[in-house]
Amino acid sequence: MPRYFFDVFDGEDISRDEVGIDLDHEDMAAEHAVAALPDMAHDELPDGPQRDFWVKVRNGNGEYTFAADLKFKADWLKRRG
């Protein structure tokens, strides 16, 4: 079973996954990466009007094979007085 590693950026810090997890195939790794983004955002927001999150998947050879990102931006539509 292949091992995949999930490096993450939470809007402030990059964390490199040194442990990884064994998954049946790369589609499962992509699903795992995408599913992690809402949890990351939930844990970190609100913390300013704009924030970017991403997860990059590495295979056992250290090559990035998949990336997913989530962008948060909040703005007032009219000037507040």
Side-chain angles (χ1 to χ4, degrees):
M1 191 176 308
R3 182 166 289 256
Y4 296 93
F5 302 84
F6 300 85
D7 298 341
V8 300
F9 177 66
D10 68 2
E12 291 183 357
D13 298 311
I14 296 174
S15 299
R16 185 172 168 89
D17 181 1
E18 299 295 341
V19 177
I21 58 174
D22 295 329
L23 297 169
D24 288 334
H25 52 78
E26 63 186 356
D27 289 341
M28 291 178 73
E31 291 170 8
H32 183 80
V34 170
L37 287 168
D39 290 336
M40 289 170 50
H42 181 266
D43 290 345
E44 299 297 328
L45 293 175
D47 188 16
Q50 187 169 339
R51 195 112 180 228
D52 296 337
F53 303 90
W54 56 251
V55 178
K56 292 183 181 177
V57 180
R58 284 183 286 119
N59 62 20
N61 296 326
E63 302 166 321
Y64 284 111
T65 60
F66 183 83
D69 65 80
L70 179 68
K71 298 184 183 301
F72 171 81
K73 183 175 180 183
D75 282 324
W76 288 102
L77 299 177
K78 321 188 321 187
R79 181 174 290 272
R80 292 175 31 172

